[in-house]
Amino acid sequence: MSIAIKAENLSKAYQIGQIGTGTISRDIERWWITKVMKKEDPFLKVGEINDRSSKGESDVVWSLKDINFEIEQGDAVGIIGKNGAGKSTLLKLLSRVTSPTTGKIKLNGRVASLLEVGTGFHPELTGRENIYLNGAILGMRKQEIDRKLDEIIDFSGVERYIDTPVKRYSSGMFVRLAFAIAAHLESEILIVDEVLAVGDMDFQNKCMGKMEDIGTKEGRTVLFVSHNLTNIRQLCKSGILLVNGQIQSKGNARNVLDDYTHSSTKLSSNGFVKNFSLENQHILSGQSLKMLLKFQNDYDLNNNKVLVRIRDERNINIIRFEINAPRRKVHNLRIETEPLVLTQGSYHVDIGLTDQKNTRWIKNFIEVGRFALTGLDTYGVGRIFTNKMAIITPKFDYSFED
């Protein structure tokens, strides 16, 4: 199998605050060294990883640092990580939207990408004209685009407005047309950022089905960034986990997702929780969730209330409960829930602290961890329900009557 994408020592640095070096002479020196001599920028050699939770000393941060990977042709790869991990930066580098500070990217084939809403569209052109514009950018002839035109318009569902300037489109219409163009034009590599979340649920499901066809039937390479871990699990064979701009894990998608969801989550020192872990590493629908929270420096809970909240991947609050805390310093808090009759999906755990009357926040909710819940054929109907269809799968009795 040939290699579709190869990244070698790929890094991207950004300067916080003032963009220039501080003097015109140094700006000219930077231009001469980087553009003419094709060497590394000497003013970016000292920098820090992009950890948003802590204040750094340098005005240069590495959004990505020394990234190395190979992706085979026809593979579907999920790129996951917290906000600020470098996912979108990586996709922009691969899409040639921006250039790396150091390192190389090798692409075998044409790239179609769906990044931020409106990227690659000319606002004054109509939807139809933008289809031809994007096809021309990919190097396609007009006759090739003509053959795909009806299929693109039909998939997008915006036929009524296809001859309207796209500056009048809603964000949902933008995404619909942009995905239809990226998925149907003849590129060897498709790159999709989490912008799909703007679309409605039916269209998201339609896009997931199309991306599966692209990989399995058409043999094209797909890179997919999403916080929806269920979609990553469904679509992708391989995965890359980014943490603070560096690769923490890569390989089989399920193993990478396990690293992300089941490992202990180290929290920054500005929180009151030091560490969160799940005692039962693999959660099945109908099982209890066992959690262990370690507090910072024997934290004094001071007779307040500990609030626990569980959200799904759409940020809908599913479960919330309160615990009366003692007036003393504590090391750990162990929690075991009742059996969770939830559908298959990814869930977030938040911890907060309020006074006894819930009138004042002592500590606002902070996300301490995530877990993936594997669904079961709860009702014996031959299918597993996901949280796209429902949230709760309760037990119930029934009877048919003539």
Side-chain angles (χ1 to χ4, degrees):
M1 185 72 71
S2 61
I3 301 300
I5 303 173
K6 185 175 182 179
E8 297 177 317
N9 301 318
L10 191 63
S11 299
K12 180 65 177 179
Y14 288 104
Q15 185 163 344
I16 300 173
Q18 186 178 0
I19 295 175
T21 60
T23 65
I24 294 176
S25 62
R26 286 191 172 185
D27 286 345
I28 294 173
E29 182 183 355
R30 165 185 278 176
W31 174 83
W32 180 264
I33 292 172
T34 59
K35 302 301 182 183
V36 179
M37 301 181 68
K38 305 295 184 183
K39 294 184 178 180
E40 291 184 9
D41 189 339
F43 300 103
L44 293 180
K45 288 191 175 180
V46 177
E48 298 173 328
I49 61 171
N50 187 24
D51 185 355
R52 294 183 179 183
S53 63
S54 61
K55 183 177 180 179
E57 301 298 328
S58 172
D59 62 351
V60 174
V61 295
W62 293 98
S63 182
L64 292 173
K65 185 66 172 174
D66 296 328
I67 300 295
N68 292 275
F69 61 82
E70 291 183 352
I71 296 174
E72 294 183 349
Q73 181 181 344
D75 198 0
V77 182
I79 302 175
I80 59 176
K82 292 184 177 181
N83 291 332
K87 305 183 298 299
S88 294
T89 300
L90 177 58
L91 295 196
K92 288 176 181 178
L93 291 174
L94 297 176
S95 302
R96 307 296 197 194
V97 173
T98 187
S99 301
T101 304
T102 62
K104 297 179 181 179
I105 301 171
K106 297 179 181 179
L107 299 170
N108 183 16
R110 294 173 294 188
V111 177
S113 58
L114 177 58
L115 303 176
E116 298 169 0
V117 174
T119 301
F121 277 46
H122 193 295
E124 299 296 335
L125 299 181
T126 67
R128 188 187 305 272
E129 291 166 338
N130 271 289
I131 294 173
Y132 282 95
L133 174 64
N134 278 262
I137 291 172
L138 281 174
M140 295 177 64
R141 296 184 179 89
K142 182 178 182 299
Q143 294 82 354
E144 294 177 295
I145 304 172
D146 288 340
R147 290 198 299 269
K148 295 280 187 178
L149 185 63
D150 290 341
E151 191 176 354
I152 292 171
I153 295 174
D154 180 65
F155 188 94
S156 70
V158 298
E159 181 176 3
R160 184 177 182 181
Y161 309 99
I162 199 65
D163 292 309
T164 301
V166 297
K167 66 181 181 181
R168 299 194 177 100
Y169 283 17
S170 67
S171 58
M173 291 167 65
F174 257 120
V175 169
R176 281 176 166 269
L177 184 58
F179 181 85
I181 292 172
H184 288 85
L185 293 183
E186 295 177 354
S187 63
E188 287 73 34
I189 301 169
L190 175 63
I191 295 176
V192 180
D193 206 342
E194 54 197 347
V195 69
L196 278 184
V198 175
D200 56 65
M201 193 60 65
D202 287 341
F203 186 70
Q204 288 184 39
N205 293 338
K206 189 177 180 180
C207 293
M208 289 296 298
K210 180 61 180 176
M211 285 192 286
E212 285 187 83
D213 289 343
I214 286 173
T216 56
K217 296 180 182 179
E218 301 177 24
R220 295 157 65 187
T221 306
V222 177
L223 269 70
F224 183 43
V225 164
S226 178
H227 288 292
N228 188 324
L229 302 188
T230 300
N231 284 348
I232 295 284
R233 192 180 297 271
Q234 172 187 337
L235 175 68
C236 301
K237 295 181 290 185
S238 304
I240 296 174
L241 171 59
L242 292 176
V243 176
N244 294 332
Q246 298 177 307
I247 293 180
Q248 178 171 299
S249 178
K250 61 183 177 180
N252 179 272
R254 292 186 178 273
N255 294 337
V256 173
L257 286 168
D258 285 344
D259 288 344
Y260 184 47
T261 57
H262 295 306
S263 61
S264 296
T265 303
K266 300 291 184 181
L267 298 171
S268 59
S269 59
N270 60 357
F272 66 105
V273 179
K274 181 180 180 181
N275 186 276
F276 168 85
S277 61
L278 297 173
E279 293 187 15
N280 42 343
Q281 294 296 305
H282 299 282
I283 313 299
L284 298 176
S285 181
Q287 286 187 332
S288 299
L289 182 66
K290 299 178 182 179
M291 299 175 279
L292 174 64
L293 294 108
K294 295 181 180 292
F295 292 99
Q296 292 277 8
N297 302 321
D298 298 338
Y299 193 83
D300 190 351
L301 292 172
N302 197 27
N303 202 32
N304 293 304
K305 286 184 178 179
V306 178
L307 274 60
V308 181
R309 181 177 67 184
I310 297 177
R311 297 175 285 119
D312 72 1
E313 54 210 16
R314 295 167 294 178
N315 284 326
I316 297 174
N317 295 334
I318 307 301
I319 297 171
R320 172 177 165 141
F321 53 87
E322 303 175 1
I323 300 170
N324 288 322
R327 187 187 293 275
R328 59 183 172 84
K329 291 185 176 182
V330 293
H331 299 276
N332 304 326
L333 172 62
R334 294 184 184 274
I335 301 171
E336 181 174 354
T337 70
E338 291 186 347
L340 300 179
V341 287
L342 300 176
T343 51
Q344 176 173 291
S346 301
Y347 296 89
H348 307 255
V349 180
D350 303 326
I351 301 294
L353 199 65
T354 68
D355 62 14
Q356 277 292 329
K357 295 182 180 179
N358 285 341
T359 57
R360 182 172 64 91
W361 282 99
I362 310 301
K363 294 286 185 181
N364 286 323
F365 276 120
I366 58 171
E367 182 180 322
V368 295
R370 301 175 176 87
F371 66 93
L373 187 143
T374 302
L376 302 173
D377 185 4
T378 308
Y379 305 119
V381 293
R383 69 184 302 185
I384 296 174
F385 292 92
T386 70
N387 56 15
K388 295 177 185 176
M389 307 170 190
I391 297 172
I392 306 296
T393 58
K395 292 289 187 180
F396 58 90
D397 293 325
Y398 66 94
S399 62
F400 292 106
E401 297 179 356
D402 296 327

